[in-house]
């Protein structure tokens, strides 16, 4: 589950990470209050940041032509006018796709005097099965490009899960980033707090890009997290009801949310051949086979190991609500699951949804003969196949 | 022979009194596997299916029955603890079927495994089967949730991150008239116990395994590591398949570990590593067995 920047910052601050003062706003009124508060507290400049689950906000463009999803403002009036232009407007960034995302939340923070920017992230190193902290002095940049072109500019420390990030490891990274004097200790501490946020919130990833060296009016320097991105391991949500409450359903695909209610794993794609499969690996392979024979899958859909009739029906309804779909491929390997139960579910769902699209069915496994008879005698028109490859070929043909 | 388990392996089921655990414990008994005990804390003294004694702890079950392996069907919040309990009882093999264990829990388990004699298969996996020689491969060792009847005793080893896709490969082998030495589903999580490489090494040493099918999917670099090792060290023919070539980057495809992130873990890179190592690549899952049989 992904979080908004302001939510990630709230969790980081709870674990001691230094964050510039800021307030989230879910309405223009709230934004106004936040802006006034910051200026009245003595800040001379504020930043107004769109809160959407996509990167590239600063360089994005709103659909009405207003440039930039992140703005600086020097006065209450200027800030309020900008917040008004952003609120409810649709922001298109390189990560949102053409349709963009509506900005329903803003984060208003104090603007800092930035001296340098860094990249920091805590994530899982799958090859080692341990968390790592990763940092680079190339802050604000696309870290994947840095990793590709100059891997020596990325500093990594593997973390012992029983001990956590040790102070010396934090200092080591701070020194590598070029920080000196008391900033070494201060940055090291921030990195430790960042790791604690990762561990205690069961995060999959915590990213601060940029972490910045800032200077206040008295000339004192410090290191703070200017931006924040966080995703949480959904398997661990049972122990984080507070984080679960941060879920923003408006950021998720409505069909995927609907599928989740029935324990179905659905991901919408751009093609026109819908698939309904049991098992994640087999579901991916079914998509691959469709593509292999020249078609385009409309979705990934795993109905799980023990799909019930109700789930099959829900799956049909979800698939059919995508207007691009021209054919449906059902691929079931009933290991323990009874193929006849699935066949009965398919027949019932096809009848209830008054299915008009070509339906290609490939059943294999437990009690498959009875399942095939059920399909054949159902009166619904369908195309059967005996292997996955054949089913994929037939569905590509049917979708033409 | 076979790897990890033989038809004689005695095992227990942790979480035998749950619906899912109980159902598959019964199927293992029906298959003729040596399921000798169940463990559910607080239900010690009861029996499962009138014959299998239930204990309060793994240690007691092991002491009373001599079991050396375990299947875990415990719900996700308690599953990592169940694995650690199995390790503390010095089991040789723990097979964690449970799906949905938090990654952080598995990171701790993975570290504990480094200093343990126990091997872990899973989590989020179908388990392990060494087929028997009876009708429909009965009399074999089935630990987990795989359908027993699709197997046949033989000499092809199967390693896979997936469930139904594994059944697909196994069924193709059986339908073609060949059989399996052992089939290992290592699971779809980002932090698994045994990896492709760990299992591949065992198959390479097993004299009864003559060929290997290795099934991978997008995410991580475990397939690449296994391929690099195989290139230098494996003397047996290997056919591979990678699922997820059409998966969009950054999206988790069902399995917690099936995600292309930061340009890493693509199907393309894995297939290239397979080819580089001389592993035969099946272009569609329908060709997994054929690809290997042509090489053997």
């Amino acid at each position: 589950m992904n979080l908004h920047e302001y939510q990630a910052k709230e969790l980081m601050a709870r674990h001691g990470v230094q964050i510039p003062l800021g307030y989230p706003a879910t309405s223009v009124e709230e934004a106004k209050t936040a802006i006034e508060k910051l200026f009245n507290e003595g800040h001379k400049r504020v930043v107004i940041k769109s809160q959407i689950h996509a990167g590239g906000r600063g360089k994005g463009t709103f659909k009405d032509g207003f440039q930039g999803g992140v703005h600086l403002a020097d006065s209450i009036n200027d800030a309020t006018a900008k917040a008004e232009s952003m609120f409810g407007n649709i922001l298109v960034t390189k990560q949102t796709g053409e349709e963009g995302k509506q900005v329903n939340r803003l984060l208003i923070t104090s603007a800092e005097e930035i001296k340098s920017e860094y990249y920091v992230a805590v994530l899982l190193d799958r090859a080692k099965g341990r968390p790592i902290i990763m940092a680079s002095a190339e802050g604000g940049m696309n870290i994947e490009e840095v990793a590709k072109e100059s891997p020596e500019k990325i500093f990594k420390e593997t973390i012992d899960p029983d001990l956590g990030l040790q102070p010396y490891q934090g200092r080591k990274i701070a020194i590598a980033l070029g920080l000196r004097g008391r900033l070494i200790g201060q940055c090291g501490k921030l990195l430790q707090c960042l790791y604690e946020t990762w561990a205690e919130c069961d995060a999959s990833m915590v990213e601060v890009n940029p972490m910045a060296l800032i200077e206040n009016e008295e000339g004192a320097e410090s290191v703070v997290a200017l931006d924040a991105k966080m995703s949480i391991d959904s398997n661990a949500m049972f122990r984080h009801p507070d984080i679960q409450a941060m879920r923003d359903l408006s950021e998720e695909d409505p069909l995927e949310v609907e599928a989740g209610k029935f324990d179905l794993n659905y991901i919408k794609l751009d093609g026109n051949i819908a698939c309904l499969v049991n098992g994640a690996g087999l579901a991916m392979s079914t998509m691959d086979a469709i593509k292999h024979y020249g078609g385009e899958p409309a979705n990934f859909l795993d109905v799980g190991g023990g799909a019930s009739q109700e789930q099959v029906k829900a799956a049909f309804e979800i698939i059919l609500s995508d207007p691009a779909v021209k054919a449906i491929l059902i691929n079931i390997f009933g290991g323990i699951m009874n193929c006849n139960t699935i066949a009965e579910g398919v027949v019932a769902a096809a009848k209830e949804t008054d299915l008009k699209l070509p339906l290609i069915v490939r059943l294999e496994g437990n009690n498959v003969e009875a399942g095939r008879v059920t399909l054949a005698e159902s009166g619904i028109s369908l195309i059967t196949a005996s292997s996955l490859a054949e089913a994929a070929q037939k569905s590509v043909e049917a979708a033409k | 022979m076979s790897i990890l388990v033989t038809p004689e392996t005695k095992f227990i089921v942790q979480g035998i009194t749950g619906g899912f655990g109980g159902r598959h414990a019964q199927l293992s008994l029906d298959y003729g596997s040596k399921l000798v005990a169940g463990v559910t804390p607080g239900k010690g003294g009861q029996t499962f299916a009138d014959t299998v004694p239930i204990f309060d702890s793994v240690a007691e079950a092991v002491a009373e029955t001599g079991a050396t392996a375990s299947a875990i069907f415990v719900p996700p919040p308690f599953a990592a603890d169940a694995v650690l309990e199995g390790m503390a009882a010095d089991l040789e093999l723990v097979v964690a079927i449970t799906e949905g264990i938090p990654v952080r829990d598995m990171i701790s388990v993975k570290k504990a495994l480094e200093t343990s004699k126990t091997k872990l298969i899973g989590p989020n996996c179908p388990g392990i089967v060494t087929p028997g020689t009876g009708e429909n491969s009965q009399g074999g060792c089935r630990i987990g949730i795989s359908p027993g009847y699709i197997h046949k005793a033989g000499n092809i080893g199967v390693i896979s991150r997936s469930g139904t896709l594994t059944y697909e490969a196994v069924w193709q082998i059986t339908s073609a008239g060949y059989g399996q030495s052992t089939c290992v589903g290592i699971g779809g999580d980002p932090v698994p116990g045994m990896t492709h490489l760990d299992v591949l090494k065992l198959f390479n040493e097993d004299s009864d395994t003559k060929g290997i099918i290795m099934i991978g999917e997008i995410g991580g670099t475990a397939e690449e590591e296994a391929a690099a090792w195989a290139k230098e060290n494996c003397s047996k023919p290997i056919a591979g398949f990678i699922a997820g070539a059409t998966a969009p980057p950054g999206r988790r495809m069902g399995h917690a570990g099936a995600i292309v992130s930061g340009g890493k873990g693509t199907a393309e890179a894995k297939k290239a590593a397979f080819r580089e190592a001389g592993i035969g690549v099946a272009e569609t899952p329908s060709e997994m067995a054929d690809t290997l049989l042509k090489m053997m």
Side-chain angles (χ1 to χ4, degrees):
Chain A
M1 183 185 102
N2 293 324
L3 297 179
H4 284 295
E5 174 195 359
Y6 78 91
Q7 295 166 328
K9 282 181 167 172
E10 185 188 322
L11 294 172
M12 287 179 189
R14 255 188 238 172
H15 292 91
V17 177
Q18 281 181 287
I19 308 277
L21 186 64
Y23 306 101
T26 54
S27 66
V28 174
E29 282 312 305
E30 278 182 29
K32 245 174 150 169
T33 312
I35 289 163
E36 283 165 9
K37 224 166 162 182
L38 283 166
F39 279 102
N40 291 341
E41 278 161 7
H43 295 281
K44 302 227 164 18
R45 236 168 18 140
V46 299
V47 192
I48 308 137
K49 308 178 87 172
S50 305
Q51 300 293 291
I52 55 169
H53 287 184
R57 292 169 298 170
K59 290 185 182 129
T61 306
F62 285 98
K63 281 216 160 153
D64 65 358
F66 187 54
Q67 287 290 324
V70 177
H71 284 274
L72 278 168
D74 296 316
S75 69
I76 294 181
N77 285 345
D78 182 22
T80 309
K82 282 173 173 157
E84 277 171 355
S85 315
M86 293 159 81
F87 211 91
N89 208 340
I90 293 166
L91 182 62
V92 180
T93 80
K94 59 179 183 194
Q95 285 185 14
T96 59
E98 279 172 28
E99 66 275 23
K101 278 191 170 173
Q102 187 169 33
V103 175
N104 299 317
R105 306 173 193 219
L106 296 173
L107 174 63
I108 327 282
T109 75
S110 61
E112 307 295 338
E113 199 56 51
I114 300 166
K115 297 193 72 181
S116 42
E117 297 188 336
Y118 313 93
Y119 172 93
V120 192
V122 181
L123 62 161
L124 169 70
D125 180 345
R126 287 176 63 160
K128 292 197 173 86
R130 297 209 174 181
I132 51 163
I133 188 158
M134 212 164 91
S136 168
E138 310 281 311
M141 301 266 296
N142 179 344
I143 198 67
E144 285 164 27
E145 276 169 32
V146 179
K148 211 190 224 168
E149 280 155 32
S150 29
E152 75 286 353
K153 288 186 178 164
I154 294 181
F155 313 109
K156 290 179 186 170
E157 284 291 310
T158 300
I159 300 162
D160 183 321
D162 296 341
L163 301 175
L165 183 76
Q166 294 301 291
Y168 82 88
Q169 293 181 297
R171 294 196 302 270
K172 194 171 157 190
I173 288 194
I175 293 166
L177 291 176
L179 294 164
R180 295 294 176 264
R182 48 169 282 282
L183 292 171
I184 294 174
Q186 197 240 311
C187 175
K189 182 74 190 140
L190 185 150
L191 300 178
Q192 278 187 284
C193 295
L194 212 55
Y195 171 71
E196 264 159 45
T197 312
W198 184 88
E200 290 187 12
C201 297
D202 275 293
S204 316
M205 202 240 339
V206 165
E207 186 183 78
V208 176
N209 189 19
M211 173 174 85
L213 175 62
I214 59 166
E215 190 179 59
N216 68 10
E217 286 180 353
E218 286 84 49
E221 294 180 329
S222 63
V223 178
V224 300
L226 272 197
D227 198 0
K229 198 170 152 184
M230 221 169 139
S231 57
I232 309 291
D233 176 5
S234 18
N235 287 348
M237 222 44 106
F238 65 85
R239 52 189 174 212
H240 301 288
D242 55 331
I243 299 177
Q244 178 69 51
M246 292 179 172
R247 185 170 177 194
D248 182 358
L249 286 176
S250 71
E251 288 285 342
E252 298 176 30
D253 184 294
L255 285 181
E256 292 175 17
V257 173
E258 181 65 18
K261 290 181 195 159
F262 294 91
D263 269 330
L264 299 168
N265 224 316
Y266 172 88
I267 295 172
K268 194 181 170 316
L269 301 169
D270 297 331
N272 59 9
I273 301 172
C275 16
L276 187 162
V277 190
N278 66 330
L282 195 59
M284 276 187 269
S285 310
T286 304
M287 287 161 41
D288 296 349
I290 290 171
K291 180 98 177 173
H292 181 77
Y293 289 108
E296 289 290 340
N299 64 277
F300 167 91
L301 175 56
D302 171 13
V303 295
S308 66
Q309 196 152 323
E310 195 195 5
Q311 279 179 306
V312 173
K313 182 168 169 262
F316 258 74
E317 281 168 358
I318 288 161
I319 284 172
L320 292 173
S321 61
D322 175 358
V325 170
K326 296 274 177 284
I328 301 175
L329 195 174
I330 296 179
N331 181 24
I332 301 287
F333 195 105
I336 303 296
M337 182 198 266
N338 187 335
C339 283
N340 197 32
T341 310
I342 279 288
E344 284 169 353
V346 168
V347 170
K351 284 184 176 164
E352 276 180 55
T353 54
D354 194 21
L355 185 73
K356 297 276 189 294
L357 297 172
L359 178 65
I360 297 89
V361 185
R362 184 264 176 153
L363 281 181
E364 189 56 84
N366 187 14
N367 206 17
V368 67
E369 289 78 14
R372 286 180 183 148
V373 169
T374 298
L375 291 175
E377 292 176 351
S378 66
I380 56 170
S381 109
L382 50 83
I383 303 164
T384 55
S386 59
S387 76
L388 170 51
E390 188 192 334
Q393 276 170 295
K394 285 184 170 173
S395 52
V396 171
E397 200 52 47
K400 271 181 189 165
Chain B
M1 268 300 289
S2 54
I3 65 165
L4 295 163
V5 295
T6 73
E8 302 312 313
T9 301
K10 289 186 193 170
F11 69 98
I12 62 172
V13 166
Q14 289 170 256
I16 199 166
T17 51
F20 189 43
R23 180 153 179 251
H24 285 283
Q26 185 59 53
L27 288 168
S28 286
L29 288 174
D30 297 346
Y31 192 60
S33 301
K34 299 207 164 28
L35 169 60
V36 294
V39 172
T40 299
K43 297 195 174 168
Q46 301 181 9
T47 53
F48 173 80
D50 295 332
T51 52
V52 180
I54 298 175
F55 298 90
D56 288 317
S57 73
V58 177
E60 279 177 85
V62 167
E64 292 295 322
T65 64
T68 57
S70 166
I72 290 175
F73 286 91
V74 171
F78 320 107
D81 176 59
V83 175
L84 294 169
E85 186 182 356
M87 288 161 65
D90 277 338
L91 289 171
E92 287 169 22
L93 181 69
V94 171
V95 181
I97 304 304
T98 309
E99 176 175 4
I101 304 180
V103 168
R104 185 159 53 99
D105 294 3
M106 282 312 302
I107 290 173
S108 297
V109 168
K110 186 98 182 168
K111 190 185 172 194
L113 284 166
E114 287 169 10
T115 51
S116 165
K117 64 167 254 195
T118 306
K119 288 186 164 74
L120 172 69
I121 295 176
N124 188 13
C125 76
I128 181 167
V129 175
T130 289
T133 49
E135 191 189 345
N136 293 329
S137 81
Q138 294 235 338
C141 178
R142 170 192 183 270
I143 305 182
I145 58 173
S146 289
Y149 69 92
I150 62 170
H151 295 81
K152 182 176 184 240
N155 54 23
I156 295 173
V158 180
I159 317 165
S160 172
R161 268 165 79 180
S162 160
T164 44
L165 189 53
T166 316
Y167 310 160
E168 195 74 55
V170 169
W171 184 240
Q172 285 171 23
I173 296 167
T174 302
S175 303
Y178 297 83
Q180 307 83 28
S181 51
T182 301
C183 302
V184 188
I186 57 174
D189 271 10
V191 183
M194 296 188 82
T195 61
H196 282 98
L197 177 55
D198 295 331
V199 180
L200 185 59
K201 284 179 177 171
L202 297 179
F203 277 133
N204 195 40
E205 286 161 14
D206 174 39
S207 58
D208 279 354
T209 299
K210 308 290 186 203
I212 300 156
I213 289 185
M214 186 153 71
I215 302 168
E217 61 192 32
I218 52 165
T221 52
E223 291 86 351
E224 286 92 322
E225 282 153 32
W229 181 88
K231 188 182 177 189
E232 304 298 328
N233 303 288
C234 187
S235 51
K236 301 177 182 181
I238 309 173
F241 177 76
I242 302 289
T246 45
R251 299 302 309 266
R252 230 167 264 287
M253 307 304 283
H255 287 156
I259 181 167
V260 173
S261 58
K264 282 198 182 139
T266 64
E268 206 179 324
K270 289 173 192 291
K271 285 184 190 172
F274 275 8
R275 288 196 186 95
E276 161 73 18
I279 296 171
V281 175
E283 283 303 333
T284 74
S286 298
E287 298 153 32
M288 290 186 287
D290 284 348
T291 305
L292 179 68
L293 293 172
K294 274 181 205 150
M295 295 169 74
M296 283 175 76

